[in-house]
Amino acid sequence: MPSIPRLICAALVVSLAASATGLAQTARPPEVRFTTDEAFSAASIPAYAGSHDEVYRHIDANIAEHLAQLQRWVRQQSVSAQNRGIAEMAELLAGDLRGMGFKEVALVPTKGHPGVFGFYDAGAPRTLAIYLMYDVQPEETGWKVPAFEGRLVDHALGRVLMARGATNQKGPERAFLNAVDSIIRTHGKLPVNLLVVAEGEEELGSPNYPEVIDKYEARLKAADGVFFPMNSQDGTGAVSLPLGVKGIAVFELEARGGAHGGPTEAEIHSSLKAIVDAPAWRLAQALATLTAPDGNTILVPGYYDAIRQPTEAEQRLVNGMAAAASPAREEGMRKALGVDRFVDGLSGRDLLSRLLFSTTININGMWSGYTGEGMKTILPHVARARLDSRLVPNQTPDGQLDLIRKHLAGRGFGDIAVRTISGYGPAQTAVETPIVTASISVFNKYGVTPTVAPRLTGSAPYYIFTERLGLPMVMGALGHGSGAHAPNEYMVIDPRPGSKVAGLAQAEKFYVDFLYAFAAMK
Amino acid sequence: MPSIPRLICAALVVSLAASATGLAQTARPPEVRFTTDEAFSAASIPAYAGSHDEVYRHIDANIAEHLAQLQRWVRQQSVSAQNRGIAEMAELLAGDLRGMGFKEVALVPTKGHPGVFGFYDAGAPRTLAIYLMYDVQPEETGWKVPAFEGRLVDHALGRVLMARGATNQKGPERAFLNAVDSIIRTHGKLPVNLLVVAEGEEELGSPNYPEVIDKYEARLKAADGVFFPMNSQDGTGAVSLPLGVKGIAVFELEARGGAHGGPTEAEIHSSLKAIVDAPAWRLAQALATLTAPDGNTILVPGYYDAIRQPTEAEQRLVNGMAAAASPAREEGMRKALGVDRFVDGLSGRDLLSRLLFSTTININGMWSGYTGEGMKTILPHVARARLDSRLVPNQTPDGQLDLIRKHLAGRGFGDIAVRTISGYGPAQTAVETPIVTASISVFNKYGVTPTVAPRLTGSAPYYIFTERLGLPMVMGALGHGSGAHAPNEYMVIDPRPGSKVAGLAQAEKFYVDFLYAFAAMK
């Protein structure tokens, strides 16, 4: 859940039109002040010159077995929210690492689902930490194939693997491991040492991932960077390379009957509303104080205060993104999302700025009383809403939730419980780092110049790597999928002729090159 | 659903303490101005002098078979909200009427569930219309016996029938028909003609009951009054006799993505909240404009305007109720409802006035997004709330919903759909009518002087009788049950020695006396 809508966002951030009209007028959220109009271009980075033909041939010769590995992964359910198949998936991942030649592999117990640690010692000067998540979202209604059968389906873009986890995140993760396995089988060892640190609670907001890191902190700090396998191409083949993620605070508001009024034990008949206070009304009233009537502008005092202005380097990245975008693609993205208009009618650089640099408070779900068929005239004794707030530098989950608690108490809603569910801060890697250069160079080798974004709008616990361990981190590769957190999630395996997206074999070759490029970085 | 929490409310209105402190200070709802402190007392009505011993003996001799009839009724499911067993229950009722000697019996098709009409021609000068509902609420969790098995259970008050419909409303209805049957079997015919007009959609708000009445309107208008069988005793044996009901308007608010913003097709990832409007926020914001932060004071302009002040007769009834109440019973009622305090800390006559004379807007249920286990960080494309407003004279459902629609549009929430689900106006019978006198006289015969209430706080479609047909209406008899719209609904069959509530045989004798008393009224 506090997961990245990776492809959607990646596609979105490159697809927005350039606009020279400056910033939005509404400006109650802090106005982003651009101090430069220079644009960063990834084309300025030289293409990776290496070629690893023996490994590529191994991949091509074994692609059917490699696809079977992806299917094996998605068929193993691992729904963290419902603890469905989690233990089995952790064992499966650990077994795969052992089988590949990782000499040190361990399940890492936590208060929640276990982590998985693996170390591959290549005796190489450089060490790359690999972040993996082995859990998935619950399946939803609307699937045209069963969500956990790993079926191959014909799609406009080619033959795709359609399953929960196909792109978020088992597909690209197992493709990466296929690449690793291919190098080892071809050359006997990798060009870099690998430290795999996997978790099974990413979709729960990674509440216990710090415990996994705790155990290996010193070894991780000695690494040279962190990588996260991911399908970075949108449906047109374009790539966005994000250099960070937003943080997130997930919390629940609960209104219940009690000393302030309202039924404490159970629902009562709705006619008693005349003399009994209603938790559902209290929740609606409390929620409504958090934002303006537009549902966008946050009215919690101080909520925007911690936000820092984007650096000049970040501004150059956004200018580069805006230059790479077009109004037609912005329109296409609205259609893909089923959205008639964006907030405040924003477009172009204004829209990009809002998307990348602004904090949010969102209602994931709310419920109270009878929600079934027909009607039941009751006065419910409890009402709940689950919310998430996306955080940008330098907001922190605790700091933002404190502001919400203070605000509610100050507005007379001290009876509303505010429960922290999970949270972590944002993560940021600077564009001028060897691991980012290595990544861009490999994309450039394949003629897919990435649009480098200052961050994703989604959230992931990468602050652990970037802020706590002080490591630079990149994510992504050639490959395309869509439908994360939605029905009919897929990853392209065999692109249709003429399609500009990579298939499974091409994605694996990207990962091979990336490992060698990173190993060779000065 | 727009049903009466009959016993809860009946018990409540007699259990509230008298208070001489005057009206509440908050006073944004219209202040009830008392112009008299005189109190009506039902003890002023002479007790019914008749005795129908042969019928009583028939009841006592056949009480096991009479109980079996109640069980037969509750075992026949008839959940109107889910169309479960409705056709079967309508046939069962019609068949019972035929078997009892009703010469004219018909199912009355409507746009919804059928009505049941029955005419028993006693050749008598007086005709009594009998309102029956044959549907029940859906069963909920928390039942200690299966809800539709008609089990007999030991209870603090004695042996009870515990089942959905035991008290709301099949138990007392079938007890009434047992009484009718006993008179016919003993004396060959009834002292009054009966016009039964039953519906199967009371729990849906009686949306199609007017169609049933349409067909028999002229014959019904010629009746002398309307009666509704009901268990009127609370657990202490006390009786409240309500002379009306509140009306109700049931409606749904729905916020969806559309031209104003928000996702139109499906939920999207919550990180997109930065640039996409949220229907769930719109709903919360729109709801919050309907009331003050207390969730009680309605802020819809004009919402209180149609309310008339209570008449002097109604004031005398409330004064009588307050005189019959005690602080200890008010405290007991708070405990029974699981409520620590009533709205604004009200008690005594203030509390009675608020309960009986005020309008409400209540949230029955609201829902949006992911409400299951764990978390799902989505931006939902739709959010809904179902509400009911209880109406007092002279509010009308259409008039009140028009005010809500105008208010929302005027506050910039024209994108929120306001859907009428059902509704009807309040009903009122004056205390000075023969049918009311007949009822009180029979209660007095058994030493249970009723507390006469100007109305129930619940709703039922009695406006059809009182306002449309112009007939006086009374409801209730000896007998006790509880748990309408709640788990473990029951009706007492054999009271424990020392208990002051009537059992099934006593309830049936009340109905016998009432029919004779009404027949003899001048």
Side-chain angles (χ1 to χ4, degrees):
Chain A
M1 99 12 291
S3 168
I4 306 181
R6 288 179 180 94
L7 269 292
I8 289 176
C9 290
L12 187 61
V13 288
V14 289
S15 69
L16 301 170
S19 161
T21 57
L23 294 168
Q25 297 291 312
T26 56
R28 268 176 299 180
E31 192 181 353
V32 174
R33 289 181 293 277
F34 275 77
T35 53
T36 178
D37 287 325
E38 284 178 32
F40 173 87
S41 170
S44 64
I45 306 288
Y48 176 62
S51 189
H52 308 279
D53 299 335
E54 284 180 82
V55 185
Y56 304 160
R57 278 195 296 273
H58 182 273
I59 289 170
D60 290 331
N62 293 278
I63 196 66
E65 197 273 328
H66 285 191
L67 169 59
Q69 292 291 349
L70 269 66
Q71 291 175 304
R72 185 171 144 262
W73 274 39
V74 297
R75 284 169 184 158
Q76 175 55 59
Q77 303 193 17
S78 55
V79 180
S80 46
Q82 298 159 358
N83 196 10
R84 184 147 45 100
I86 285 293
E88 293 82 355
M89 187 66 210
E91 289 290 355
L92 188 155
L93 168 57
D96 281 10
L97 295 178
R98 277 189 208 101
M100 238 168 256
F102 283 67
K103 286 289 183 288
E104 197 181 341
V105 176
L107 262 59
V108 188
T110 72
K111 281 193 294 291
H113 304 323
V116 178
F117 173 79
F119 178 55
Y120 180 93
D121 186 358
R126 290 196 167 240
T127 299
L128 188 61
I130 307 295
Y131 169 71
L132 299 178
M133 54 182 276
Y134 69 80
D135 62 324
V136 296
Q137 281 279 317
E139 70 275 27
E140 48 289 285
T141 55
W143 281 80
K144 54 190 185 192
V145 298
F148 293 103
E149 289 194 0
R151 297 233 190 133
L152 295 171
V153 170
D154 278 329
H155 183 279
L157 291 170
R159 194 168 63 129
V160 307
L161 173 64
M162 184 171 285
R164 171 54 78 231
T167 195
N168 176 223
Q169 201 65 33
K170 291 175 175 175
E173 289 177 342
R174 183 62 226 196
F176 172 78
L177 291 182
N178 287 341
V180 166
D181 191 50
S182 296
I183 296 172
I184 296 170
R185 285 170 186 263
T186 306
H187 295 304
K189 67 173 185 176
L190 297 177
V192 293
N193 313 311
L194 294 185
L195 277 166
V196 167
V197 270
E199 67 163 323
E201 296 185 319
E202 199 275 351
E203 302 291 2
L204 302 181
S206 304
N208 301 300
Y209 192 52
E211 291 185 52
V212 180
I213 299 301
D214 288 347
K215 191 160 175 190
Y216 302 96
E217 180 163 9
R219 294 169 71 178
L220 286 164
K221 274 189 169 163
D224 300 286
V226 184
F227 181 66
F228 179 40
M230 172 175 149
N231 290 321
S232 292
Q233 291 184 287
D234 71 10
T236 71
V239 165
S240 171
L241 187 68
L243 300 184
V245 288
K246 288 189 181 179
I248 192 169
V250 183
F251 59 105
E252 183 171 276
L253 300 187
E254 183 185 88
R256 277 191 169 273
H260 52 279
T264 54
E265 303 291 324
E267 66 194 39
I268 61 175
H269 196 277
S270 82
S271 66
L272 294 162
K273 179 70 200 75
I275 56 167
V276 179
D277 294 287
W281 275 121
R282 291 293 287 171
L283 180 67
Q285 290 290 344
L287 281 171
T289 68
L290 300 181
T291 75
D294 63 11
N296 300 318
T297 309
I298 298 168
L299 299 184
V300 177
Y303 211 80
Y304 296 116
D305 288 359
I307 301 174
R308 68 158 167 78
Q309 283 289 321
T311 64
E312 281 214 355
E314 288 166 351
Q315 294 175 40
R316 278 193 293 270
L317 294 177
V318 173
N319 290 333
M321 293 168 71
S326 77
R329 296 193 67 179
E330 191 173 319
E331 172 65 19
M333 191 51 53
R334 273 205 300 275
K335 283 195 176 138
L337 293 172
V339 171
D340 289 355
R341 69 190 284 278
F342 291 120
V343 160
D344 297 334
L346 290 174
S347 66
R349 191 172 78 171
D350 299 345
L351 181 61
L352 280 171
S353 293
R354 186 72 70 90
L355 182 64
L356 295 167
F357 299 132
S358 72
T359 189
T360 60
I361 301 181
N362 176 63
I363 298 173
N364 302 149
M366 60 178 177
W367 63 104
S368 181
Y370 185 72
T371 60
E373 287 181 275
M375 279 289 309
K376 198 167 180 188
T377 42
I378 55 169
L379 193 174
H381 68 300
V382 60
R384 292 193 187 93
R386 289 207 199 108
L387 300 97
D388 74 284
S389 177
R390 303 283 169 171
L391 308 179
V392 294
N394 294 319
Q395 294 179 305
T396 64
D398 289 349
Q400 300 308 118
L401 286 181
D402 278 353
L403 293 170
I404 289 171
R405 286 193 179 93
K406 280 195 192 99
H407 162 75
L408 287 176
R411 292 287 292 261
F413 291 102
D415 54 305
I416 308 282
V418 182
R419 291 199 193 105
T420 302
I421 294 176
S422 65
Y424 44 75
Q428 198 66 51
T429 290
V431 66
E432 317 85 349
T433 46
I435 194 169
V436 175
T437 304
S439 172
I440 294 173
S441 75
V442 178
F443 280 116
N444 284 346
K445 169 183 172 181
Y446 292 104
V448 185
T449 305
T451 303
V452 184
R455 66 182 62 111
L456 274 177
T457 60
S459 304
Y462 305 155
Y463 77 99
I464 287 182
F465 304 116
T466 60
E467 315 303 312
R468 178 174 159 189
L469 301 177
L471 300 177
M473 177 175 185
V474 295
M475 47 189 128
L478 290 179
H480 169 71
S482 190
H485 297 211
N488 305 318
E489 180 180 351
Y490 70 86
M491 172 175 173
V492 171
I493 303 300
D494 294 315
R496 207 175 284 287
S499 164
K500 293 187 175 169
V501 303
L504 179 59
Q506 184 60 68
E508 295 184 7
K509 292 170 193 172
F510 180 101
Y511 290 120
V512 170
D513 288 358
F514 172 70
L515 290 174
Y516 280 104
F518 179 69
M521 274 285 144
K522 301 210 177 77
Chain B
M1 111 353 295
S3 164
I4 307 182
R6 288 179 181 94
L7 269 292
I8 289 176
C9 291
L12 187 62
V13 290
V14 288
S15 70
L16 301 171
S19 161
T21 59
L23 292 168
Q25 297 293 314
T26 56
R28 271 177 297 183
E31 193 181 352
V32 174
R33 288 181 293 277
F34 275 76
T35 53
T36 177
D37 289 323
E38 284 178 32
F40 173 86
S41 170
S44 64
I45 306 290
Y48 177 62
S51 188
H52 308 278
D53 300 334
E54 283 180 83
V55 184
Y56 304 160
R57 279 195 295 273
H58 182 273
I59 288 170
D60 290 330
N62 292 279
I63 197 65
E65 197 273 327
H66 286 191
L67 169 59
Q69 292 291 348
L70 269 66
Q71 291 175 303
R72 185 170 144 261
W73 274 40
V74 297
R75 284 169 183 158
Q76 175 55 59
Q77 302 194 18
S78 54
V79 181
S80 46
Q82 298 158 0
N83 196 9
R84 182 144 50 97
I86 285 292
E88 293 81 356
M89 186 67 211
E91 289 289 356
L92 187 156
L93 169 59
D96 281 10
L97 295 178
R98 279 190 206 99
M100 238 167 258
F102 283 68
K103 287 288 183 287
E104 198 181 340
V105 177
L107 262 58
V108 189
T110 72
K111 282 193 294 290
H113 303 323
V116 178
F117 173 80
F119 179 56
Y120 180 92
D121 187 358
R126 289 194 169 244
T127 299
L128 188 60
I130 307 295
Y131 169 70
L132 299 178
M133 55 182 277
Y134 69 80
D135 62 325
V136 295
Q137 281 279 318
E139 70 277 25
E140 48 289 285
T141 54
W143 280 80
K144 53 191 184 191
V145 298
F148 293 103
E149 289 194 359
R151 297 233 189 133
L152 295 170
V153 170
D154 278 329
H155 183 277
L157 291 169
R159 196 169 61 129
V160 307
L161 174 64
M162 184 170 285
R164 172 54 77 232
T167 195
N168 175 234
Q169 200 67 37
K170 290 175 176 175
E173 289 177 342
R174 182 61 227 197
F176 172 79
L177 292 181
N178 287 341
V180 165
D181 191 50
S182 296
I183 296 172
I184 295 170
R185 285 170 186 263
T186 306
H187 294 304
K189 68 173 183 177
L190 296 177
V192 293
N193 313 310
L194 293 186
L195 278 165
V196 167
V197 269
E199 67 162 323
E201 297 185 319
E202 199 274 352
E203 302 291 2
L204 303 180
S206 304
N208 300 300
Y209 192 51
E211 290 185 53
V212 180
I213 299 301
D214 289 346
K215 190 159 177 192
Y216 302 97
E217 180 164 8
R219 294 169 71 179
L220 286 163
K221 274 190 169 160
D224 300 286
V226 182
F227 181 66
F228 179 41
M230 173 175 147
N231 290 322
S232 293
Q233 291 184 287
D234 71 11
T236 71
V239 165
S240 171
L241 187 67
L243 301 183
V245 287
K246 288 189 182 178
I248 193 169
V250 183
F251 58 104
E252 182 171 277
L253 300 187
E254 183 185 88
R256 278 192 167 271
H260 53 279
T264 53
E265 303 290 325
E267 66 196 39
I268 62 175
H269 195 276
S270 81
S271 66
L272 295 162
K273 179 70 199 75
I275 56 165
V276 178
D277 295 286
W281 275 120
R282 291 293 286 171
L283 180 68
Q285 290 290 345
L287 281 171
T289 68
L290 300 181
T291 75
D294 64 10
N296 300 316
T297 309
I298 299 168
L299 298 185
V300 177
Y303 210 79
Y304 296 115
D305 288 358
I307 300 173
R308 67 157 168 79
Q309 282 290 320
T311 64
E312 282 215 353
E314 288 165 351
Q315 294 174 41
R316 279 193 291 271
L317 294 177
V318 172
N319 290 332
M321 292 168 71
S326 77
R329 295 193 66 179
E330 190 175 317
E331 172 64 19
M333 191 49 54
R334 274 206 299 274
K335 283 196 177 138
L337 293 172
V339 171
D340 289 354
R341 68 190 286 276
F342 291 120
V343 161
D344 296 335
L346 291 175
S347 65
R349 190 172 79 172
D350 300 344
L351 181 61
L352 281 170
S353 292
R354 186 72 69 88
L355 183 65
L356 295 166
F357 299 133
S358 72
T359 188
T360 61
I361 300 181
N362 176 63
I363 298 172
N364 302 148
M366 60 179 178
W367 63 103
S368 181
Y370 184 71
T371 60
E373 287 180 274
M375 279 289 311
K376 199 168 180 186
T377 42
I378 54 169
L379 194 174
H381 68 300
V382 59
R384 294 194 187 92
R386 290 207 200 106
L387 300 97
D388 74 285
S389 178
R390 303 283 169 171
L391 308 179
V392 294
N394 294 319
Q395 293 178 307
T396 64
D398 290 348
Q400 300 308 118
L401 286 182
D402 279 353
L403 292 170
I404 289 172
R405 286 192 179 93
K406 280 195 192 98
H407 162 75
L408 287 176
R411 291 288 290 263
F413 291 102
D415 53 305
I416 308 282
V418 182
R419 293 199 192 103
T420 302
I421 294 176
S422 66
Y424 43 75
Q428 199 65 51
T429 290
V431 67
E432 316 85 350
T433 46
I435 194 169
V436 175
T437 304
S439 172
I440 294 173
S441 74
V442 177
F443 280 115
N444 284 346
K445 170 183 170 181
Y446 293 105
V448 185
T449 307
T451 303
V452 185
R455 65 182 64 107
L456 273 178
T457 61
S459 304
Y462 306 155
Y463 78 99
I464 287 181
F465 304 116
T466 60
E467 315 303 311
R468 177 172 160 191
L469 301 177
L471 300 176
M473 176 174 187
V474 295
M475 47 189 129
L478 289 179
H480 169 70
S482 190
H485 296 211
N488 305 316
E489 180 179 352
Y490 69 87
M491 173 175 172
V492 171
I493 303 300
D494 295 314
R496 207 175 284 285
S499 164
K500 292 185 174 170
V501 303
L504 178 60
Q506 184 60 68
E508 294 185 8
K509 291 169 193 171
F510 180 101
Y511 290 120
V512 169
D513 288 0
F514 172 70
L515 290 174
Y516 281 103
F518 179 69
M521 274 286 144
K522 302 217 177 75

